[in-house]
Amino acid sequence: MQVTRKTFDEVMVPNYAPSDIIPVRGLGSRIWDQQEREYLDFASGIAVTGLGHCHPKLIAALAEQAGKLWHLSNVMTNEPALKLASKLVELTFADRVFFCNSGAEANEAAFKLARKHASTNYGPHKQQIISFYNAFHGRTLFTVSVGGQAKYTQGFEPLPGGITHLPFNDLAALEAAVGEQTCAVVLEPVQGEGGIMPATREFLALARQLCDRHKALLIFDEVQCGNGRSGSLFAYQQLGVTPDVLTTAKGLGGGFPVGAMLATKEAAASLAFGTHGSTYGGNPLACAVGLAALTETSSPAILENVAARSTQLRDGLAVLATAHGVFSGSRGMGLLIGAPLVDAWKGRSKDVINAAMRHGLWILAAGPDVLRLAPPLNISEADMAEGLRRLGQALTDLGKPA
Ligand code: PLP
């Protein structure tokens, strides 16, 4: 059966507008399309394939588990889930883990936990969730509502209530809003979809302080910035603030769908038997791959490479910014880097992405005004240099008269 991009329009719901290119295989930092054209992948499937494509250790873990046991449900636990949870507990602040299949599900669990924790321990008045403009927490109705981008909720009303949105990194607004009625403050240590905007240390410290004062849970959404992408296994580990609950997905499975909510023992206790669940959460295949991926992404070799390649990428972007004037520099952490477009190019991130694609480089946008680069965490120095060279070619093209 021959399928093309046209097939998408004929058989798929039109909620996406995918590129004309249909990749058919990948290896390391590269993918190849149906016509055997090669692309360097600086997108990682939106910060998912942190170890590149077809990593031998992930293939081995998947193949081994595929020959043993695929699925049980939560009526019986399984060895890969227990091993992955144990490793997450060992490597983080968390005492307890809940598995699911995506970032949205991890956040859904965290928001439900926050409400349950507050109503069980303090009473029904304590239900306010505080989140931030431009935040992104997923596409379920609860998570788009907590997220701070109106375009994702319009037309889906009525929305869940009890959610307050504040400007990100605004200390005074946060101080004024958190109170006895607050059950949780939720934030991304680096806003991803919202433009690769890091939280300031002062903002995180104040959020922690206010949550402690008002007995609210501090929830960090590390779906995008977690799993080594920030340069530490989780971003909080280099920011001096520890949350009560942390959600993650994307890079956790290196490309196999798995999500997790990590929590302190005290917070986790609220999700007592029967209060929440997922048929596939903790699936043996997902957790076996997750364990192999986590073992790699938490290794000093990978984290040192993230630091070195991050410097290389940001230095390269600075050179390109000066030479072409399309973007003004870069921001972010580790290998989650945003390049904000200058005024004259605002709204045209798609044009830059398309030009890069023509030169064999896949990059992303974080909104219309910011380019987003999220290459694999194990990318080589040579591949990073080649990606920057291709981006330079694309920018040169864009500068030529049409
Ligand atoms: N949270 C953050 C910070 C994200 O970046 C995303 C996805 O981009 C999500 C949650 C939702 O994850 P998923 O698409 O796996 O549901």
Side-chain angles (χ1 to χ4, degrees), residues 26-50:
L27 189 64
S29 305
R30 289 180 159 76
I31 53 173
W32 287 264
D33 70 10
Q34 287 175 317
Q35 286 71 40
E36 276 298 308
R37 244 203 103 189
E38 170 256 2
Y39 302 85
L40 263 173
D41 179 358
F42 276 31
S44 301
I46 318 190
V48 170
T49 47

Side-chain angles (χ1 to χ4, degrees), residues 232-318:
S232 45
L233 179 60
F234 290 103
Y236 85 86
Q237 292 167 322
Q238 53 179 309
L239 294 170
V241 170
T242 302
D244 303 294
V245 176
L246 182 148
T247 57
T248 194
K250 287 191 184 278
L252 183 62
F256 201 99
V258 55
M261 176 186 69
L262 316 184
T264 61
K265 191 173 168 190
E266 199 268 326
S270 322
L271 280 193
F273 175 66
T275 52
H276 192 57
S278 158
T279 296
Y280 285 125
N283 169 275
L285 292 170
C287 291
V289 179
L291 182 63
L294 179 60
T295 305
E296 283 299 299
T297 50
S298 61
S299 70
I302 290 286
L303 297 176
E304 280 159 22
N305 193 58
V306 173
R309 298 290 75 76
S310 178
T311 305
Q312 185 187 359
L313 177 57
R314 296 189 73 163
D315 288 351
L317 290 173

Side-chain angles (χ1 to χ4, degrees), residues 46 102-105 107 136-138 188 193 221 223-224 249-250:
I46 318 190
S102 67
E105 284 179 61
N107 284 323
F136 186 81
H137 299 299
E188 298 158 81
E193 302 303 305
D221 177 344
V223 169
Q224 186 156 166
K250 287 191 184 278

